[in-house]
Amino acid sequence: MKDYSGEIAFTITDRQDDHVLGEMPVRPGIMNPFGTVHAGAMLWFADVVATHLVLGGEDVTAGMQGFPLAINLNANLTGNQKEGTLRARAEFVKRGRSVSVVRTQVTGDDGRLLVEVTTSHVASR
């Protein structure tokens, strides 16, 4: 058996009521065998940036009520890159009391769209 390991790290660079921005450096631990970023790493990045938007600046604590659980995720992978930095921008499609829908676009260093993700979130109880 082979062990796999990697490290995903990102930074929230801007948080407003209507959008959240994040940056994620491309590192060896998130690469696929073709030398580009693994699709799962890009989806994780998009989902976490979207979750920060729905949280609205609230601090996350273990077992907290109201944590925005993703209940649906739809992704279109349109590109990839081998190095540099990925950038994500999450914006509300619908901000609801029970369900919120967020569109997140992940772009590469040249501004090219790599992934467009739509997520639906419901507040945990």
Side-chain angles (χ1 to χ4, degrees), residues 49-103:
V49 173
T51 299
H52 276 277
L53 176 64
V54 179
L55 278 167
E58 188 174 343
D59 288 330
V60 177
T61 58
M64 70 182 284
Q65 285 190 334
F67 182 83
L69 298 170
I71 56 172
N72 187 48
L73 183 145
N74 183 347
N76 290 296
L77 303 161
T78 62
N80 209 321
Q81 69 183 43
K82 297 181 176 206
E83 58 189 13
T85 302
L86 305 183
R87 289 169 182 78
R89 179 181 181 93
E91 298 177 321
F92 283 107
V93 173
K94 176 189 181 282
R95 183 186 301 188
R97 285 183 280 163
S98 58
V99 176
S100 291
V101 180
V102 177
R103 179 179 297 117

